[in-house]
Amino acid sequence: MDYLKDLNPQQLEAATTTEGYVRVVAGAGSGKTKTLTARYLYLVDQLGISTANILCVTFTNKAAAEMKKRIRRTLPDQDLGRITTFHGFCVGLLKEDCHVVQYPTTFIVLDEEDKEAMLRTVFEDLGITSRDLTVKEAIDHIGWRKGGRGYVKTLIGSPEKLLTLSSEAATLKDKVMYRYFYEQRKCYGLDFDDLIYFALYILEQDKDTREKWQNRLEYIMVDEFQDIDKDQYSLADILSGYHKNLFVVGDPDQTIYTWRGADVKFILEFDSRHENVKTIYLNTNYRSVPQILTASNALIDKNRERLKKQLTAVRPDARKPLYFHAKTGQLEADWITANMRAIHEGGVPYSDMGVLYRAHYVSRAVEESLIRNKIPYVLYSGVEFYKRKEIKDVLCYLRMIYSGDDVSFLRTVNEPRRGVGRTRISALKEFSALNQCSLYEALKTNLETELFRRCRAKDYVRLIEKYRAIFDGMDLTDLLAGILNESGYEDMLRSCGEEERLDNLAELKQAIYDFERKAGEEVTLGNYLDHAALFTNMDQTEKAQAVKLMTIHAAKGLEFPVVFLCGMSEGIFPGKRANTRERLEEERRLCYVAFTRAKDRLYLSDAAGTNYDGSFRYPSRFLFNAEKENVEYAVPLDPDLEERAMEQIRKTEDLSSRPEQPSDLVGKRVLHPVFGEGTVIGIPRGQEGVIIQFDTIVTPRTFGPTAKITYLA
């Protein structure tokens, strides 16, 4: 039993407590995976339980693979197929029991690209353009309509019925949804949402199937329980309904996925929802030095929705987290890279360093400083700033004004859509080849032909020609603002709800402003395009010894000897959308996750200035939440700045103290005495009530808490 020897008393208790409902509250770096692995081995190796009768659910395939790898060291010949994700388990259940809903075992699982391709076919068949509806809007609509799970009975019906529902639908979104269902039904395709919803439907509707799985799964373990949604919770609860051996592991202080359905209450209230629950705390942290944990404990203790605990360190004392308040974003970035270089010269490889931030756009200044200082880096869970689609699109607009090359033309002429599709592009290419001219010149020559009079190509030419005539006398920031506004590009992103891309454009505006300010009289459009090209063309082939850049969400589950947490400003982290206590507490949990990724050294930084809405950038409240005595200040904060920051934070804390309404109403069908039937599509921000999309009305309506609305079963 070597796998039990290295466990501390709390880990050992968790690994050997096999019966009943068990909740393990496992703090960051407390050996959660080690404990889960030991428990699985104990069940099989010591108690003799068959692996076929144990279900262990992890949240990622990577985590499942890591756990299998550890277990195979002791049990090399065992079938570990039920160490899997929720979706992986549901595929197995459906392969065995999809006959209950008259589906063949040869059903296919649709990925995101499959969904988009299917919807593009639907759009083409129904004659829908992006002016009417975007694919993203359709996917979002289908997703929340599926959230109620009542759709399963409709989807498993006859294809002809789905076509009828599509033709009779009162709204365009529902027309597309039912036609998408038809395309799914034709090929027996199930997307990721369907896997769990179908499994639940079968378990809830078919007693024999439910009892078979309940009897088979004698022990169920669920990892990362703080991040499960209501459907995953229901699945675990149903499957454990006979043997009642449900072992859940998680940390409510690390619940950071409520935006995709996670609810911290599932782990907080586990003991009140189940009988005779045993709770075990894993509070010994093996990852971080004591000073990092002291700041982390102080930070998270400001949250109300949590199980009180204090992480304790086993590692020796080291340096406190170091904080730097910079005057500008570039100075913040340069401070980060200067510390990186000094640490590296002290013998720490760049690959041991991670730069974390709340959103991708924050990385721009750091990327530029890394490039200037020739420090290798790799950006995870996203593309490098100047390679992001929206940034390249806008730079190509600038290039169209400056040079009019074919690459920029093809990227911008139909972005936003102006009806210049494949047929018209093919005609331009043919004309260009015959007349030895650029595609843009070909378009200008052919604007009055029958082929191009029927599209909005004239608008594009008018925009380019206007700014070609005046850009020499304009500030680059004004030029960019004019293009974004008059091209419709910014409006397109706004109408599609592409908030992260809008944030990236705002960061580009800041980058151009910074460039103008530094370059002085040498500022020209050509100079700036050359400047940007240096960043986009950097050779990034050698990544073995590279700094890692990523969002905090992407860093969940990872650790680094050295962590730089940048952009610690109000309005960035926490973001402006954190306008309720629940959202603010999630942001604080996210900051706690960032702190606890660091093993040896933690660097915190922010920059003065203004946010994109004009508000002043104060240091983040999370810095103050960690308590001043727990953080070393590289430069003392100006007392007046600190006082104004605290006053601003107090005001926003008061505004956000009102609890947020539950979101489980979204997707519910309702009946109004005048408007008829509809569906709840949202909760009005900052007030009580619901937003409803009625079947017979094009736009939604917002209702207060006293409205006469009947919720349908």
Side-chain angles (χ1 to χ4, degrees):
M1 292 196 296
D2 288 345
Y3 49 85
L4 296 180
K5 288 180 181 176
D6 293 333
L7 302 182
N8 67 35
Q10 293 74 33
Q11 291 171 335
L12 182 63
E13 183 183 12
T16 55
T17 302
T18 61
E19 307 306 304
Y21 291 103
V22 182
R23 174 179 61 180
V24 176
V25 181
S30 61
K32 170 173 64 72
T33 304
K34 182 180 181 180
T35 305
L36 266 172
T37 302
R39 186 176 195 269
Y40 190 98
L41 287 168
Y42 183 76
L43 286 169
V44 178
D45 185 44
Q46 292 299 307
L47 303 191
I49 305 299
S50 168
T51 58
N53 300 111
I54 305 172
L55 172 63
C56 182
V57 181
T58 66
F59 256 74
T60 65
N61 289 311
K62 181 181 176 183
E66 174 60 28
M67 191 169 173
K68 287 179 182 178
K69 180 181 173 183
R70 296 189 189 194
I71 289 170
R72 283 204 172 98
R73 292 170 188 161
T74 303
L75 306 173
D77 301 322
Q78 295 280 359
D79 177 13
L80 305 179
R82 292 212 169 97
I83 299 176
T84 183
T85 62
F86 273 111
H87 290 96
F89 168 76
C90 289
V91 169
L93 182 149
L94 292 171
K95 288 291 182 186
E96 192 170 319
D97 291 307
C98 60
H99 60 85
V100 173
V101 291
Q102 291 80 52
Y103 266 54
T105 56
T106 54
F107 70 87
I108 60 173
V109 179
L110 305 171
D111 63 20
E112 290 303 308
E113 285 190 24
D114 294 327
K115 283 169 65 174
E116 291 178 12
M118 210 171 263
L119 279 166
R120 283 194 290 270
T121 299
V122 170
F123 277 35
E124 189 173 328
D125 290 348
L126 297 179
I128 297 170
T129 70
S130 59
R131 293 183 187 178
D132 307 312
L133 185 69
T134 66
V135 170
K136 182 181 183 301
E137 288 169 338
I139 288 173
D140 289 346
H141 177 73
I142 292 166
W144 69 255
R145 282 295 297 271
K146 282 185 174 183
R149 300 214 312 263
Y151 82 97
V152 175
K153 190 180 291 186
T154 304
L155 183 52
I156 63 179
S158 71
E160 293 75 19
K161 176 65 173 175
L162 293 170
L163 284 177
T164 302
L165 288 169
S166 178
S167 63
E168 294 177 352
T171 68
L172 179 61
K173 287 182 178 179
D174 278 353
K175 186 182 290 290
V176 168
M177 179 185 72
Y178 287 121
R179 187 57 184 272
Y180 171 73
F181 287 175
Y182 169 75
E183 296 292 337
Q184 279 192 270
R185 182 68 175 77
K186 271 198 312 182
C187 66
Y188 293 106
L190 299 177
D191 61 30
F192 269 39
D193 290 337
D194 298 326
L195 295 175
I196 288 182
Y197 296 152
F198 267 58
L200 276 171
Y201 181 85
I202 290 171
L203 291 170
E204 290 170 350
Q205 300 298 318
D206 192 80
K207 181 172 180 286
D208 291 341
T209 303
R210 179 172 66 253
E211 290 182 351
K212 178 185 73 173
W213 284 97
Q214 286 178 332
N215 278 282
R216 182 183 295 175
L217 300 177
E218 298 173 3
Y219 295 91
I220 297 172
M221 298 189 280
V222 182
D223 192 13
E224 303 287 6
F225 197 73
Q226 77 279 351
D227 287 327
I228 68 166
D229 61 30
K230 58 182 174 54
D231 300 305
Q232 293 161 340
Y233 179 87
S234 297
L235 195 59
D237 231 27
I238 290 170
L239 292 171
S240 61
Y242 177 64
H243 294 290
K244 301 188 185 302
N245 290 328
L246 178 58
F247 179 92
V248 302
V249 186
D251 183 4
D253 289 338
Q254 295 186 72
T255 301
I256 59 173
Y257 293 113
T258 61
W259 48 273
R260 67 183 190 196
D263 191 338
V264 69
K265 287 185 171 61
F266 289 137
I267 190 167
L268 292 179
E269 299 173 0
F270 188 79
D271 56 340
S272 62
R273 295 172 183 241
H274 301 88
E275 297 177 356
N276 302 318
V277 172
K278 182 170 188 175
T279 297
I280 301 168
Y281 286 85
L282 304 185
N283 285 338
T284 304
N285 178 286
Y286 296 91
R287 176 187 299 155
S288 305
V289 297
Q291 285 72 13
I292 291 174
L293 291 186
T294 300
S296 302
N297 286 331
L299 167 74
I300 199 62
D301 195 49
K302 307 303 185 291
N303 272 8
R304 297 186 212 169
E305 290 280 342
R306 65 186 298 258
L307 297 170
K308 289 281 186 182
K309 68 179 192 302
Q310 290 277 311
L311 292 178
T312 57
V314 297
R315 297 186 59 200
D317 283 338
R319 189 175 180 179
K320 293 179 182 179
L322 181 63
Y323 164 66
F324 178 64
H325 175 72
K327 298 297 183 185
T328 67
Q330 182 181 321
L331 289 174
E332 178 189 7
D334 289 345
W335 180 80
I336 290 171
T337 53
N339 277 283
M340 283 180 180
R341 189 172 292 286
I343 295 167
H344 180 67
E345 289 170 356
V348 178
Y350 284 126
S351 55
D352 281 357
M353 304 178 200
V355 180
L356 308 184
Y357 35 78
R358 179 63 181 86
H360 279 302
Y361 71 89
V362 178
S363 72
R364 191 268 307 174
V366 178
E367 285 185 63
E368 291 189 0
S369 186
L370 287 166
I371 293 166
R372 280 195 303 272
N373 288 280
K374 295 182 172 55
I375 295 176
Y377 75 94
V378 58
L379 190 143
Y380 288 84
S381 190
V383 295
E384 293 146 18
F385 185 83
Y386 285 104
K387 291 182 181 177
R388 291 166 191 156
K389 181 185 183 303
E390 59 278 12
I391 302 303
K392 288 188 74 173
D393 285 347
V394 174
L395 289 176
C396 281
Y397 264 108
L398 293 174
R399 270 176 36 189
M400 276 306 300
I401 291 162
Y402 187 70
S403 62
D405 61 279
D406 285 356
V407 172
S408 298
F409 175 83
L410 289 172
R411 191 167 186 111
T412 58
V413 68
N414 208 37
E415 191 76 23
R417 294 192 183 279
R418 300 183 179 93
V420 187
R422 291 179 188 170
T423 302
R424 292 184 171 96
I425 292 294
S426 294
L428 290 177
K429 286 181 177 178
E430 186 176 337
F431 185 93
S432 170
L434 286 172
N435 293 276
Q436 298 293 299
C437 64
S438 70
L439 293 176
Y440 180 67
E441 292 300 322
L443 176 61
K444 287 202 295 181
T445 304
N446 287 277
L447 272 182
E448 297 303 327
T449 63
E450 181 65 20
L451 184 61
F452 287 95
R453 276 207 302 267
R454 296 195 303 261
C455 67
R456 295 194 299 120
K458 272 189 179 179
D459 295 344
Y460 177 75
V461 171
R462 193 178 299 118
L463 172 75
I464 301 302
E465 292 302 308
K466 171 185 174 179
Y467 284 103
R468 277 188 170 184
I470 62 175
F471 80 88
D472 269 338
M474 296 182 69
D475 289 337
L476 294 183
T477 46
D478 293 337
L479 174 61
L480 178 65
I483 289 171
L484 288 173
N485 181 43
E486 294 179 42
S487 67
Y489 193 92
E490 204 161 24
D491 284 342
M492 174 188 72
L493 296 185
R494 195 168 284 113
S495 65
C496 294
E498 298 277 7
E499 293 181 356
E500 183 172 355
R501 289 186 167 183
L502 287 167
D503 283 339
N504 288 338
L505 288 186
E507 185 65 13
L508 179 64
K509 295 174 189 176
Q510 183 67 44
I512 289 177
Y513 171 76
D514 290 343
F515 177 78
E516 278 188 308
R517 193 182 54 192
K518 291 172 203 152
E521 294 182 356
E522 294 179 7
V523 174
T524 67
L525 178 56
N527 286 343
Y528 178 70
L529 291 172
D530 290 342
H531 166 81
L534 290 175
F535 292 107
T536 57
N537 293 332
M538 191 192 75
D539 180 13
Q540 300 257 13
T541 55
E542 176 54 53
K543 298 295 184 189
Q545 293 297 323
V547 175
K548 279 94 172 168
L549 275 66
M550 64 187 73
T551 64
I552 304 167
H553 281 102
K556 179 78 184 297
L558 302 178
E559 59 184 37
F560 304 92
V562 182
V563 167
F564 294 88
L565 179 55
C566 60
M568 291 280 288
S569 300
E570 289 290 307
I572 296 177
F573 194 26
K576 289 199 168 294
R577 296 185 203 68
N579 56 359
T580 65
R581 182 174 60 80
E582 288 82 357
R583 291 174 186 170
L584 190 55
E585 291 208 353
E586 175 155 9
E587 290 281 290
R588 190 175 285 111
R589 291 194 293 267
L590 190 59
C591 189
Y592 175 76
V593 166
F595 275 31
T596 54
R597 297 314 92 196
K599 295 169 69 175
D600 305 328
R601 306 183 201 181
L602 175 61
Y603 294 83
L604 312 172
S605 62
D606 74 315
T610 57
N611 292 311
Y612 308 122
D613 61 357
S615 60
F616 187 79
R617 274 188 184 168
Y618 292 103
S620 170
R621 69 194 68 201
F622 300 149
L623 172 73
F624 303 118
N625 287 164
E627 303 296 349
K628 203 163 189 176
E629 64 270 20
N630 300 326
V631 178
E632 180 183 344
Y633 284 56
V635 178
L637 272 184
D638 180 88
D640 183 57
L641 172 65
E642 188 170 347
E643 185 177 335
R644 285 186 289 121
M646 296 302 293
E647 177 60 30
Q648 179 66 22
I649 290 166
R650 275 192 292 272
K651 285 180 184 176
T652 54
E653 290 273 0
D654 290 342
L655 289 172
S656 66
S657 61
R658 183 175 175 175
E660 187 174 15
Q661 287 181 259
S663 60
D664 56 4
L665 293 176
V666 174
K668 297 282 189 185
R669 294 289 289 172
V670 299
L671 178 66
H672 188 275
V674 176
F675 297 120
E677 289 193 21
T679 305
V680 178
I681 64 170
I683 306 296
R685 183 174 290 181
Q687 64 187 78
E688 296 179 4
V690 289
I691 304 170
I692 298 173
Q693 175 69 66
F694 290 99
D695 297 344
T696 56
I697 301 176
V698 176
T699 57
R701 299 289 184 270
T702 303
F703 296 90
T706 60
K708 295 179 179 178
I709 296 168
T710 303
Y711 288 86
L712 304 176

